[in-house]
Amino acid sequence: MNMYISGLGNISAGSPFDNDFQNNKAINDSRILHPVEPQYKDYIDPKISRRLSRIIKMGLASAKMALNDASVDIPDGIITGTAIGCIEDTEKFLNSVIEGHEELPSPSAFISSTHNSISSQIAIALKCHGYNSTFSSRGFSFESALMDAMMQIDEKPGLKFLAGSVDELTDKLADILENFEIAFNLNLNKNKFPYGEGAAFFLLSGEKKNMRYGKISSVKMIYNNSDENILDVIENYYNDNKSIKDKTDLVLFGGEIDEVIPVSKIFADCGVILFKKYCGEYFTSTSYALYFACMLLKNGLKNISFDAGNSTTVSKIVLINKFNNKYYSFVTVEND
Amino acid sequence: MDELIVKLKKEIIEQLNFEDLSIDDIETEGPLFGPEGLGLDSIDALELILILEKKYGIKMTDADDGKAILQSVKSMADFIMLKRK
Amino acid sequence: MSHRIFVTGIGIVCAAGNSASETLSSLAAQKSGISGMQYLDSRLKDLFPVGEVKLSNKDLCDNLSLPIKNYSRTYLLALAAAREAAGEMIENYNSSRLGIVSGSTVGGMDLSEKYFQSVYAGIDADISDLKQHDCGFSTEFIADKLGIKGYLSTVSTACSSSANSIIHASMLIKSGIIDAAVAGGVDSLAKFTLNGFNSLKILDSKLCSPFDENRNGLNLGEGAAFLFIESERSASSHMNDVICEIKGFGNSCDAFHQTAMSEEGIGPKLAMRSALNSALLDPSEIDYINLHGTGTSNNDLSEGLAIEEVFSGAIPFYSSTKSYTGHTLGAAGAVEAVISALSLKTNTIYPNINFATRMKELSTAPVSAIMKKDNLRNIMSNSFGFGGNNSSIIFSKVE
């Protein structure tokens, strides 16, 4: 079942097509790649904005960008992936409970702390009564949202689903993640790319007439709890999928620098780009890779200043992401 | 009383996260709830009750007419003055 | 090809019982599991009764043959229920065709808050405890323990989390992505949620009375429940006894307010109608509804009005079993799915305990005494969450 992408919205540190962003050393030296946030009043009624934490604003704004891009007012369903959820409000409420010794905590932070606040505030803003869900599943959070959208659209191809993700990173959380890496040799980020945060939403449907970027032809999540080597996982996936073997032009890869050449070899020497260089490391970074792929399908490889290896055309792109050597995802995005 | 009104307005702006509002934007006797007022809802009502409790040590009981007390900044100030006596 | 989804295993740990059979005994005896807090150390201990599982973390570790170490209670409850649901039959399945979809609101918050409490008090604490914080951690741990490889995910839609995880797993099986799944959810008691609901002033200081005119709020609970579900072909080839069928489901959004439900119950009506359409059933074919029925002023009114409209002319029997278990948040959908399966198995409707007066806005009232019903065929279970996430699932007897 194909999902045709008719609109997208993205809030991230920058675009790989932006040479200034690409060449900005300061970005690579930073600890956290913070997104460039829009003027939220362009997307969100100021009267309700006060109730919304930053992560909800990012989700809501990027969802609206996707709808505007697709010229759709109200989708038929909204599905969000967020691995860590509304961490800022969670911290706020938890602090108030602990430091206040359970006396008089404020309800506002509590009600915005639940993971589904993002999907639900999008629905409230749009008055969308359709299907609504939120996945919080570590490295599969965004991929689950895509899978869910795919199954919903498979049942009813005429429906239009907004599927996306958002994850935020507070300083406290970044400290904790760093602590895990140092204390437990847990190479969450071997590349030493910065940590990242961001939001991306896509308007998807089963009808080709709605396609403006490309189509998602396959979503696969592989849970590797038998400690198989990443290159073996990727090679097995490649060998099991004829459509990818036939012709993949480019791989957008969320793995490590020293895996790039072996992955390229597996994919018949096509170009492999490490997309986390542009968005940083975070659980739902596959959504950034999907945004990147959409821009490539639309604009091609003209005037790019990033290295696309041997690739000269882009009509079929495979996104490969991994988290903690356990969560592997493969998303195929292509022209139709 | 004027000082109390100003203090209350500042607390409302802070607790309810009205980043773009100043104390002059809040009418002292204007309705806090509903579309003609600041558009507060049931969660905001809980936050206002928290202000009374945390900042002024006043706990509202079932006997108190919550709706009337929280109707405007002035009615909140009147309630605080009453409880202080 | 048949797209029927069968339930062939159930598992539950909740205030009313540490297993399906214990929970059934409590239901049959109309014995509530709601009581004073025994294990959670909270300032609110003596103010609010809760639906606490009657096992300490140490007891849970012993029962699960786990070493005594700092596990989140969430993981322990979930593993116990998942093991009961999947049982030994899971060993007969190809692990790459097996999935797990769980649901949770606050994941390992019980452990995280203890960590931050210690840090605040200047006591040494182990930062690795925070690795159990997120909603997805217990799903991963269980997948590893039970040897599940085919698919794993976690839904987090507040009080409808595990209903949505059952729906997601059902769709995965219908799509042929997996053949069978452990589907359900978990949440454990935590100061975070207890204080959260208290800040909203919707906790009852006594045993809750859902759908009662004089109801006063909810009792927070904890628990875990899972279903083992599979395609008809898989159930048949593994020669498993079928407990019931997942006949249909619906998911909608109220899209009204972050916490309150619209008075007319727009979202609930849509979810229930959508479930009926998906099951190809007429409203008159539903024999019983297991309500979301939390005991709050807002939910019960909206849910009641929605039911009387959707089922107008043929309003089925209904009751809330939250007076036995408390509101188990992310686990609620699955807890009530297991209870619905038990109802079908025993041909019994388990009543509201602590019900006295019909709500003045409704023309009907919940079942308030045990009811034997030999022709109990189709049960609808409702889960309506914060944020307007509403889901309804229909469980049916397989003739």
Side-chain angles (χ1 to χ4, degrees):
Chain A
M1 179 72 222
N2 293 319
M3 290 198 286
Y4 297 96
I5 306 168
S6 55
L8 61 80
N10 177 254
I11 295 176
S12 62
S15 162
F17 295 89
D18 176 347
N19 292 336
D20 292 334
F21 171 63
Q22 252 240 92
N23 298 323
N24 189 339
K25 280 224 94 209
I27 283 164
N28 287 327
D29 291 341
S30 44
R31 184 185 180 222
I32 303 174
L33 266 184
H34 292 295
V36 174
E37 293 177 57
Q39 287 291 336
Y40 288 116
K41 59 176 160 43
D42 293 342
Y43 300 96
I44 302 170
D45 180 353
K47 277 208 261 342
I48 62 164
S49 204
R50 65 179 178 95
R51 207 20 104 52
L52 308 181
S53 59
R54 181 174 165 261
I55 189 175
I56 296 177
K57 284 186 206 165
M58 287 203 309
L60 180 46
S62 60
K64 283 208 167 168
M65 286 175 197
L67 289 169
N68 291 344
D69 192 32
S71 307
V72 167
D73 289 329
I74 306 178
D76 297 299
I78 299 165
I79 311 172
T80 305
T82 177
I84 301 293
C86 307
I87 197 71
E88 196 186 330
D89 272 351
T90 299
E91 279 176 18
K92 213 170 169 178
F93 190 74
L94 187 55
N95 284 338
S96 74
V97 168
I98 290 172
E99 291 168 17
H101 305 283
E102 299 182 78
E103 301 260 9
L104 308 174
S106 143
S108 303
F110 175 67
I111 66 172
S112 301
S113 70
T114 56
H115 292 35
N116 64 327
S117 300
I118 302 148
S119 237
S120 118
Q121 287 290 359
I122 296 173
I124 290 169
L126 301 174
K127 297 222 181 322
C128 173
H129 294 294
Y131 182 88
N132 191 300
S133 199
T134 301
F135 290 90
S136 294
S137 193
R138 302 197 143 179
F140 284 163
S141 304
F142 173 62
E143 289 79 346
S144 300
L146 281 186
M147 183 67 86
D148 198 15
M150 199 166 228
M151 293 191 298
Q152 302 291 338
I153 285 169
D154 195 26
E155 277 207 340
K156 294 183 183 146
L159 295 184
K160 297 184 178 69
F161 271 79
L162 201 50
S165 76
V166 53
D167 263 311
E168 65 172 350
L169 191 62
T170 56
D171 284 328
K172 192 175 215 150
L173 182 57
D175 286 342
I176 290 166
L177 290 176
E178 267 184 353
N179 226 299
F180 287 158
E181 285 200 71
I182 295 165
F184 306 106
N185 254 354
L186 214 199
N187 266 310
L188 283 171
N189 202 352
K190 231 189 211 167
N191 294 305
K192 289 306 160 198
F193 291 143
Y195 291 120
E197 45 174 11
F201 270 84
F202 305 86
L203 212 271
L204 306 168
S205 89
E207 291 177 339
K208 187 180 169 178
K209 65 179 191 217
N210 298 320
M211 185 179 89
R212 290 178 58 247
Y213 292 90
K215 67 181 184 187
I216 298 171
S217 52
S218 140
V219 176
K220 177 78 180 169
M221 292 128 78
I222 294 177
Y223 181 59
N224 178 31
N225 62 357
S226 48
D227 231 357
E228 223 176 315
N229 174 277
I230 178 180
L231 295 173
D232 291 336
V233 173
I234 293 174
E235 186 151 24
N236 289 336
Y237 180 74
Y238 181 82
N239 289 330
D240 289 342
N241 286 278
K242 188 175 185 303
S243 77
I244 290 167
K245 271 179 101 161
D246 278 350
K247 185 180 164 38
T248 293
D249 299 313
L250 185 72
V251 171
L252 293 180
F253 185 49
E256 292 154 28
I257 294 171
D258 51 7
E259 290 158 350
V260 168
I261 294 173
V263 170
S264 175
K265 284 215 155 15
I266 291 169
F267 278 81
D269 293 319
C270 80
V272 176
I273 300 176
L274 289 167
F275 66 85
K276 285 178 183 171
K277 204 171 132 188
Y278 305 102
C279 66
E281 174 73 77
Y282 57 104
F283 294 91
T284 45
S285 57
T286 303
S287 64
Y288 182 86
L290 183 57
Y291 150 76
F292 189 174
C294 286
M295 301 312 285
L296 280 166
L297 289 173
K298 195 161 196 214
N299 303 324
L301 291 171
K302 287 194 298 272
N303 304 320
I304 56 162
S305 55
F306 50 82
D307 182 5
N310 292 330
S311 299
T312 49
T313 58
V314 273
S315 60
K316 184 181 280 186
I317 303 170
V318 174
L319 320 178
I320 302 177
N321 205 355
K322 73 162 195 176
F323 169 71
N324 214 13
N325 208 40
K326 269 185 145 173
Y327 296 74
Y328 290 92
S329 61
F330 300 83
V331 180
T332 307
V333 199
E334 53 186 314
N335 285 326
D336 192 278
Chain B
M1 177 59 136
D2 283 342
E3 253 184 58
L4 175 58
I5 299 271
V6 167
K7 191 162 179 271
L8 259 177
K9 285 183 181 181
K10 281 189 180 154
E11 282 155 357
I12 288 171
I13 287 171
E14 195 191 321
Q15 188 84 353
L16 271 51
N17 219 25
F18 279 109
E19 284 169 343
D20 296 327
L21 278 191
S22 71
I23 54 176
D24 297 323
D25 295 322
I26 305 178
E27 283 181 32
T28 306
E29 292 184 58
L32 287 171
F33 292 81
E36 320 82 49
L38 283 185
L40 304 194
D41 67 7
S42 55
I43 302 295
D44 297 312
L46 292 170
E47 296 285 3
L48 293 179
I49 292 170
L50 262 187
I51 291 176
L52 289 174
E53 216 172 317
K54 266 180 159 154
K55 309 279 185 180
Y56 300 95
I58 301 168
K59 216 174 173 137
M60 265 174 48
T61 65
D62 288 339
D64 293 317
D65 183 354
K67 223 172 169 177
I69 293 164
L70 302 178
Q71 206 264 330
S72 66
V73 178
K74 173 91 178 24
S75 57
M76 283 180 73
D78 286 343
F79 181 67
I80 293 167
M81 298 291 279
L82 185 71
K83 287 289 175 179
R84 272 178 179 171
K85 289 194 186 125
Chain C
M1 185 177 70
S2 159
H3 283 165
R4 296 177 80 179
I5 306 289
F6 288 155
V7 178
T8 50
I10 54 175
I12 184 170
V13 184
C14 66
N18 301 327
S19 65
S21 58
E22 278 185 27
T23 304
L24 183 58
S25 300
S26 297
L27 291 167
Q30 293 179 84
K31 186 166 174 285
S32 173
I34 289 160
S35 60
M37 257 171 257
Q38 206 183 338
Y39 304 112
L40 182 67
D41 180 24
S42 162
R43 188 188 70 81
L44 307 177
K45 214 177 180 92
D46 299 319
L47 295 176
F48 301 109
V50 290
E52 195 174 44
V53 169
K54 312 288 180 280
L55 292 167
S56 67
N57 284 8
K58 183 179 177 304
D59 294 332
L60 286 162
C61 286
D62 286 343
N63 293 347
L64 294 165
S65 308
L66 287 174
I68 310 296
K69 65 178 244 202
N70 256 1
Y71 286 115
S72 158
R73 194 170 171 78
T74 304
Y75 166 53
L76 299 173
L77 294 174
L79 181 58
R83 269 207 178 137
E84 187 186 9
E88 281 148 13
M89 30 178 199
I90 204 166
E91 287 156 30
N92 304 323
Y93 288 76
N94 174 355
S95 62
S96 304
R97 298 292 304 167
L98 264 179
I100 174 164
V101 187
S102 186
S104 183
T105 309
V106 287
M109 178 64 81
D110 64 301
L111 197 59
S112 308
E113 66 186 21
K114 282 193 189 128
Y115 170 83
F116 286 111
Q117 185 88 61
S118 299
V119 167
Y120 179 69
I123 303 169
D124 257 341
D126 187 355
I127 199 170
S128 69
D129 285 352
L130 296 180
K131 284 162 136 188
Q132 299 184 53
H133 174 79
D134 65 297
C135 291
F137 96 90
S138 63
T139 318
E140 185 185 307
F141 278 34
I142 295 170
D144 293 347
K145 270 274 185 243
L146 299 185
I148 294 172
K149 266 187 81 125
Y151 187 91
L152 108 158
S153 194
T154 311
V155 176
S156 189
T157 55
C159 320
S160 57
S161 299
S162 53
N164 282 327
S165 58
I166 291 169
I167 292 173
H168 188 64
S170 299
M171 292 196 70
L172 290 165
I173 295 170
K174 282 186 193 228
S175 302
I177 291 163
I178 48 175
D179 298 325
V182 174
V186 58
D187 261 313
S188 58
L189 281 175
K191 288 196 277 206
F192 185 89
T193 31
L194 192 60
N195 280 275
F197 282 95
N198 191 31
S199 75
L200 293 169
K201 302 209 187 302
I202 51 175
L203 289 178
D204 198 333
S205 59
K206 298 191 167 52
L207 177 62
C208 65
S209 39
F211 270 60
D212 193 294
E213 172 65 18
N214 302 309
R215 61 199 184 281
N216 263 321
L218 59 93
N219 300 137
L220 197 59
E222 64 177 1
F226 286 90
L227 306 178
F228 189 80
I229 63 173
E230 50 189 325
S231 66
E232 182 174 19
R233 192 209 294 204
S234 173
S236 159
S237 71
H238 288 94
M239 294 188 293
N240 289 331
D241 289 331
V242 174
I243 298 169
C244 62
E245 178 179 4
I246 294 177
K247 192 102 170 148
F249 39 78
N251 167 314
S252 73
C253 193
D254 200 40
F256 172 71
H257 184 271
Q258 188 51 33
T259 51
M261 215 189 301
S262 60
E263 198 173 295
E264 328 86 277
I266 300 169
K269 280 188 284 197
L270 283 168
M272 290 191 282
R273 286 194 168 119
S274 176
L276 288 165
N277 289 340
S278 121
L280 300 173
L281 288 174
D282 196 78
S284 61
E285 295 178 87
I286 299 293
D287 300 305
Y288 162 67
I289 301 174
N290 185 299
L291 302 166
H292 185 57
T294 54
T296 64
S297 173
N298 177 245
N299 174 82
D300 292 1
L301 176 61
S302 300
E303 186 175 9
L305 290 174
I307 286 171
E308 291 201 339
E309 188 182 311
V310 171
F311 294 89
S312 163
I315 299 170
F317 294 112
Y318 57 75
S319 71
S320 167
T321 49
K322 286 186 169 72
S323 37
Y324 298 86
T325 61
H327 186 357
T328 55
L329 299 184
V335 162
E336 288 147 31
V338 167
I339 292 175
S340 298
L342 289 170
S343 272
L344 284 171
K345 209 171 170 192
T346 59
N347 289 315
T348 310
I349 291 174
Y350 300 102
N352 270 43
I353 324 175
N354 205 29
F355 175 80
T357 315
R358 175 166 64 85
M359 281 163 64
K360 61 181 187 291
E361 296 93 345
L362 301 181
S363 63
T364 52
V367 171
S368 52
I370 288 220
M371 187 185 280
K372 265 281 187 207
K373 212 173 176 312
D374 285 336
N375 55 353
L376 202 57
R377 272 199 328 278
N378 300 306
I379 294 181
M380 175 182 277
S381 177
N382 289 340
S383 298
F384 302 147
F386 257 20
N389 281 130
N390 307 130
S391 294
S392 296
I393 305 179
I394 297 173
F395 299 95
S396 301
K397 220 175 245 174
V398 175
E399 314 291 357

